[in-house]
Amino acid sequence: MTGKPIKREVINGVLLDAVTIMQADDTPAITYIATGAEPLVITRAQFKAQVQQYAEGLYMLGIRTGNLVVIAHTQSMESIYLFWAAMLIDAVPSMFPTLTEKLDPDIYTRNMAELVSNSDVKAVFTTDDFAPTLRSVLTCDVFTTSQIHEIRAQGDVPMRPPAPPNPSLTAFLQHSSGTTGLQKGVALSHAAVLNQIDAYSEAIALNSDDVIVSWLPLYHDMGLIAGFMMPLVQGVPLVLMSPFDWVGHPAMLLRAITDYAGTLCWLPNFAYNHMARRIRKRDLEGVNLSSMRMFINCSEPVRADSHTLFADKFADQGVTRQMLTV
């Protein structure tokens, strides 16, 4: 490891510093990859500009300071811009899973309606296809990305500057998975999240040479904090893909590590088994994982046999037992 340790520049002690002090240059902030498509490289300058544009759109749609907004969107750059844009205007965003074939649609919509009612949600943002379904059951506004772009095209409405940053205020809500009932929202302050990011960065010796590669859902805590917020706050390049894309094409994670010299990746225990069993020999042609510092087992009970299976399967691609950590 030769990179310099990451030292976050502190101005106001709020997560917005990651965007507001971001240098508007051509350094990649996020590279979004998808099966069958060219990688989408978002530079810091582009990321900063897009977040500002989405923030203007949210404001023009009536989102204001303290409003809770739920992002029930497919995992994409749109959901990422919405998340940061909401914080930029002092609203409180919360990532939420969208409906998939694995979820019962009646239970999903019933839980969403109850969550909206109990939490006084101002608006839900979702895809064009899913919006009609949610509008039929929710009492709050349901907006789409298309509406954000359309309202911005109508003319400029100056945003009022947000209130002075307060590190103790809620930055966003992190909802539980809902396996034991209705999803529970946990309010996380700017200070709490930044303290966690700083402490964790030090614990894993995050440095300027690191590249984080992640498929984890942004509505789960490990995907949201370690695999999404930490690289953006700390200025470390992030290579991101949809969890649904990864499940169907698990080799794309290893290909991304190869193509972008990835060094850090968080995986729940099942993922080690999934990749070892599903990835075929022909999918490994040209794959080189020797750049990795750590595959970090997280979010599930850790099994030694899963690590052994993974290490044995990908030893020829450069995986060592020392890379497999918890």
Side-chain angles (χ1 to χ4, degrees), residues 14-304:
V14 293
L15 286 162
L16 297 181
D17 288 349
V19 173
T20 55
I21 70 172
M22 182 179 285
Q23 293 181 354
D25 58 25
D26 292 332
T27 303
I30 299 176
T31 300
Y32 194 88
I33 61 176
T35 301
E38 288 295 317
L40 179 62
V41 181
I42 309 298
T43 68
R44 292 178 180 177
Q46 292 168 333
F47 183 81
K48 189 171 184 177
Q50 286 289 335
V51 169
Q52 178 65 32
Q53 290 176 15
Y54 273 74
E56 292 170 358
L58 294 185
Y59 190 84
M60 294 171 73
L61 288 170
I63 307 302
R64 297 293 186 268
T65 296
N67 287 163
L68 175 58
V69 295
V70 169
I71 302 168
H73 214 292
T74 52
Q75 186 155 308
S76 61
M77 289 308 303
E78 284 79 11
S79 59
I80 289 170
Y81 294 143
L82 280 167
F83 186 87
W84 286 94
M87 288 196 295
L88 196 62
I89 59 173
D90 280 346
V92 179
S94 181
M95 290 287 194
F96 204 81
T98 190
L99 183 62
T100 68
E101 65 276 4
K102 292 186 177 181
L103 299 175
D104 183 297
D106 293 333
I107 294 176
Y108 179 94
T109 53
R110 183 173 67 247
N111 286 353
M112 177 69 85
E114 188 174 350
L115 183 145
V116 165
S117 176
N118 292 346
S119 302
D120 192 25
V121 174
K122 173 67 174 178
V124 173
F125 290 86
T126 191
T127 61
D128 292 346
D129 292 339
F130 194 37
T133 299
L134 289 184
R135 286 179 181 136
S136 68
V137 296
L138 301 186
T139 56
C140 68
D141 290 324
V142 177
F143 296 120
T144 67
T145 303
S146 297
Q147 287 177 279
I148 294 175
H149 296 319
E150 288 169 2
I151 197 167
R152 285 198 72 255
Q154 294 175 10
D156 293 331
V157 174
M159 289 193 305
R160 290 184 301 171
N166 184 341
S168 66
L169 292 180
T170 299
F172 58 88
L173 255 59
Q174 168 67 55
H175 280 91
S176 65
S177 62
T179 53
T180 59
L182 186 67
Q183 291 88 342
K184 282 78 174 177
V186 178
L188 298 175
S189 70
H190 293 272
V193 175
L194 288 173
N195 287 340
Q196 166 65 17
I197 288 173
D198 284 346
Y200 196 44
S201 298
E202 183 176 355
I204 64 174
L206 191 70
N207 68 87
S208 58
D209 288 340
D210 277 323
V211 176
I212 290 174
V213 183
S214 181
W215 59 264
L216 295 178
L218 300 184
Y219 51 83
H220 282 169
D221 55 354
M222 188 60 70
L224 182 65
I225 305 298
F228 171 56
M229 304 206 74
M230 184 172 70
L232 287 175
V233 168
Q234 302 288 49
V236 172
L238 170 62
V239 181
L240 193 64
M241 65 198 74
S242 161
F244 304 108
D245 206 0
W246 171 80
V247 167
H249 308 88
M252 70 186 299
L253 178 73
L254 306 188
R255 183 64 59 186
I257 291 171
T258 301
D259 292 344
Y260 298 97
T263 62
L264 296 169
C265 181
W266 287 263
L267 300 169
N269 194 85
F270 88 87
Y272 295 83
N273 302 325
H274 182 64
M275 287 191 286
R277 292 169 179 159
R278 284 284 307 277
I279 295 176
R280 299 159 298 188
K281 182 174 292 187
R282 66 172 180 263
D283 295 327
L284 295 174
E285 184 177 350
V287 169
N288 183 351
L289 307 176
S290 61
S291 63
M292 287 296 295
R293 288 206 295 119
M294 288 186 283
F295 290 97
I296 303 170
N297 200 323
C298 60
S299 303
E300 291 179 356
V302 176
R303 294 184 59 87

